[in-house]
Structure formats: C-alpha cells, structure tokens
Amino acid sequence: MNSAARHGHARGPAGLMGGIYLPRTADALAGAMTTYGIPLLVLATTNSAALTGFAFALEWIPRLAAFGWAGALVDRRGAAVVFQLASLARASALAAGAVLLHLYPNGPVASVTVVVLAATTGVLTEFSYIAAETAGAAAGRRAGRRAHRVQAVLLGIDQTATLAGPALAGLLLLAGPPPMLALITGLSLLAALLALRTPPSPLTSARAPKGQSGAGLLTGWRTIRSLPALGWLVTGLTLSNLATGLLQAAGPVIVVQHFGQSTTAVGLVWSAAAGATLLSVTICRFALDRVGLWPVGAACAILASLACLAAAQAPDYLSYLVLVAVLMAAEGGMTVVLRTLRSRLIPPEMFGSTLSATILILLLPFPVAGVLTALTPPDALGHVITVCAALQALGLFCAFARLRTDPALRT
C-alpha cells in the first residue's frame, strides 16, 4: 500500500468525511438536479412529450460514449484530478446555459440550449461519477470486511441527493430556468473545491496507455466475463434498468399529462423514491451483516419486480408515487449488493476500466427508454411499461437463481 493509501487509512472517519463523503455529496446533488431537472426543463420549455423523451435519450447517449475515456483517464490520472476538472467544466456549461436562457427564455435558442445542456452535463456528470466511485472503492478496500458499510454510506449520499434534487429542481423551475441552473452551477463549483481534500487514489495506474478508451472498455469487459457472479448480477440489473429507465423517462409525461399534476409533482415522485431508498439502504446495511448478500439481493429483486408490474397499472398519482418509491427502494438494496460485490472482486489495477464497462452496460437501457418514450403515444405508455416490467422480473429471477450457490455472494 502506498503512502497516500496509508495516510487516508490513518485518518479514519475524518479522512472519509472530508476526502470522500463531502465531495460526493455536493457532486451527487448537482448530478441529481441535472438528471431529473433537465427533462423537466425541456417539457416546460417546449411542452412536447416527444422532445422530452428525445432529450432524455440525448442526455444518456453521450454519457455512454464517455465511459471508455472516463475509466481510462481515471486509471491514468487519478480520481481526484478527474473529479475536480469534470465538476469545473460542468459548472462552466451550466453557467453559460443559465445566461442564454435568461436572454432567450423561449423559441429556438431556448430549445437548442436545453438539448445541448442535456448532452454536455450528461457527459461531465459521468466523468465525475466514475472518479467518485473509484475513490469510494478505494475507501471500501481499506475498510476490509466492512466494505459494505462504506458502500451503504455512499449509496445513502446518492439517495439523499436524489431525495432533495428532483424536488428542489422542480421548485426552482417555478421561478424560471436560470435560478435552477445557477444553483447547480454553485454545487458543481463546491464539489470541485471539496475535491482538493480527496487523497490520491491508490488505484491509479501510471502505465495506463494514453488515448485508448476502447482498450480500457475491452479490459473491463474481459474482467466482467472472468467474474461470473458479477456478470450475472450486471445482466439482471441491466434488464431491471430498462423498466426503471422507462418510468424515469416517461415520468414527466405520465404525471403532468396523464395524471394532470404539476412539474413539482414529478420531482416529488423521485424525492419520495429517494427517501424510501435511503431507508432501504439503512435496513440493508444491517441485514447484510446478518444474512449475507444473496438473501438480501433476492428479496429486493422480488419486491422490485412486483412493484414495477403494479406501477404500470397505477390508477392515480398517489398509488403511482408509492409504487415507484417501493420499486426504487428495492433497486437500492440490489445496488448495495452490486457495489459490495464489485469492490470485493475487481482487481485494483483495472478497477476504473472495469467500473466503466460495468456502468456502461447498466446504463445502456436508459437511452433506449428515452427513445421508447419519444416513439410511444402517451396513452400506450402503460402497456410498454408492463412489457418492460415482465422482462425485469424474468432477468432478475434468472440472475439470482444462478447466483444462489455462488460463493462470492455467500462470503
């Protein structure tokens, strides 16, 4: 272990708080407001369900293209440097967008601005996320047998941000786009400032080849294939993400146009979901200490499948909100299992590349969900969600049935 790693370990909770948790908090809140606020901004600016779905897809497609570069860059330059630069670049893009929307609140310029913001912030958010995850994984490795507790705290930070982010974005949007974008800009700058305290990652490889994002993803793909437990879990969660991604992409259309609620109500759905997920993560943290990874993951998979099937047929806004909250709470439990498993299994020297490949696979359904939302008439969205929920249930059943006797989930 190098000196930076020893120093971070010696600092204990103080090192985790100042170097890992606080930067992650600011970045997660900025990312949540961006992810959920930009589609709301598009709908408020254009009043078009099809363009909202298109913008959602455009928000995710560049993210996927950036993963190879992000993982390779983190392995080569270190998590702290990449995190700080990505946060600064996102702040600059959002500040420029706020100025343009203040000068041109409607019309073609406003439409182009929000669509470009979706693509740009999506890419930069993924760079900062990969960097933050790599730093968190290093902290988890130093925690040893208590790695799942570090991952639970990190996921709790993400869900707390998701709890506040959508509601805050929807509330600020009532005052206009510039105030919302200004706050996200400030949070991005704060994340960059706090990143100065993040220790150099012991996972950094100075020998990583320059400019070979494809090679980095190929290395990550080979690593996933060599770890059957990780591969099966990623497969099941990828199919699950198609259903949850469709609910997220179609959320503004369902809540505003189908249930007749406001844009603030859309944020409330995901804030309630984040609150339920935060509670779920806390419960799973103690359950994992007692029963292990597989029982917790399998129980969450069953709950997620049932909730998603029911959400597709929700008769009113309140039941829809509750079912989405239950679904995302179950997803949160499975995410703790995934994060703990990958921090145990992935070799440190290729963690950034493998993490990029893993997240790339998990996020592929999101642009697909945006395209489905754009192409599906609003009245038919419930039927499409039902089909995706059935695929989710099948994928999770196969994954956890295969993992039932795997020693990686029994340790």
Side-chain angles (χ1 to χ4, degrees):
M1 184 180 294
N2 61 21
S3 60
R6 288 193 299 268
H7 178 63
H9 180 73
R11 288 189 300 170
L16 285 174
M17 178 62 68
I20 304 296
Y21 295 153
L22 288 179
R24 179 65 166 264
T25 299
D27 182 71
L29 185 56
M33 291 186 67
T34 299
T35 300
Y36 295 96
I38 295 297
L40 286 175
L41 186 59
V42 174
L43 185 62
T45 303
T46 66
N47 198 31
S48 170
L51 192 56
T52 301
F54 172 72
F56 185 87
L58 190 60
E59 185 178 10
W60 283 100
I61 290 173
R63 291 188 181 193
L64 304 183
F67 272 109
W69 297 103
L73 190 61
V74 168
D75 282 342
R76 188 170 69 248
R77 298 299 183 187
V81 173
V82 175
F83 182 91
Q84 187 176 35
L85 292 178
S87 298
L88 286 173
R90 183 177 58 200
S92 300
L94 289 165
V99 171
L100 285 173
L101 289 177
H102 176 73
L103 297 175
Y104 306 96
N106 302 108
V109 175
S111 299
V112 171
T113 297
V114 293
V115 170
V116 171
L117 273 178
T120 304
T121 57
V123 170
L124 296 172
T125 296
E126 289 313 316
F127 270 86
S128 66
Y129 178 74
I130 291 293
E133 280 289 278
T134 302
R141 289 181 184 278
R142 291 194 293 269
R145 293 174 61 87
R146 296 179 180 271
H148 65 276
R149 295 194 174 187
V150 176
Q151 297 303 322
V153 172
L154 292 174
L155 184 57
I157 289 172
D158 289 345
Q159 294 306 318
T160 301
T162 308
L163 174 65
L168 188 57
L171 184 62
L172 288 174
L173 192 56
L174 296 177
M180 184 187 77
L181 296 178
L183 180 58
I184 305 175
T185 300
L187 289 169
S188 298
L189 290 173
L190 179 61
L193 180 63
L194 291 171
L196 294 173
R197 301 186 62 186
T198 301
S201 172
L203 304 181
T204 300
S205 173
R207 297 182 298 275
K210 295 183 179 181
Q212 296 188 13
S213 64
L217 287 176
L218 183 60
T219 299
W221 170 245
R222 288 172 176 169
T223 305
I224 294 172
R225 290 185 61 187
S226 69
L227 302 171
L230 182 62
W232 276 101
L233 188 57
V234 168
T235 300
L237 288 176
T238 299
L239 289 174
S240 181
N241 281 350
L242 179 60
T244 56
L246 187 58
L247 285 173
Q248 183 177 330
V253 180
I254 293 173
V255 173
V256 175
Q257 296 188 357
H258 182 67
F259 292 131
Q261 303 293 320
S262 66
T263 56
T264 305
V266 181
L268 182 60
V269 170
W270 296 106
S271 293
T277 304
L278 188 60
L279 177 61
S280 170
V281 169
T282 303
I283 295 172
C284 288
R285 175 180 174 180
F286 294 102
L288 287 169
D289 284 333
R290 289 161 175 78
V291 300
L293 292 174
W294 188 87
V296 173
C300 290
I302 293 172
L303 187 61
S305 300
L306 294 176
C308 191
L309 286 167
Q313 308 298 326
D316 52 44
Y317 171 73
L318 181 59
S319 59
Y320 177 81
L321 181 148
V322 172
L323 290 168
V324 170
V326 173
L327 167 63
M328 298 310 296
E331 288 273 349
M334 290 189 288
T335 303
V336 174
V337 173
L338 173 64
R339 289 185 174 190
T340 304
L341 190 65
R342 72 190 182 198
S343 69
R344 289 181 180 178
L345 298 181
I346 299 175
E349 64 274 8
M350 56 186 66
F351 190 90
S353 298
T354 308
L355 177 64
S356 293
T358 301
I359 300 177
L360 174 62
I361 296 169
L362 289 172
L363 295 183
L364 281 173
F366 284 90
V368 175
V371 172
L372 286 175
T373 301
L375 298 179
T376 304
D379 293 339
L381 281 173
H383 301 296
V384 177
I385 294 173
T386 300
V387 173
C388 292
L391 289 175
Q392 175 196 41
L394 179 62
L396 291 176
F397 172 80
C398 293
F400 281 95
R402 172 62 178 81
L403 295 172
R404 185 172 62 87
T405 58
D406 196 295
L409 271 76
R410 292 291 184 181
T411 304

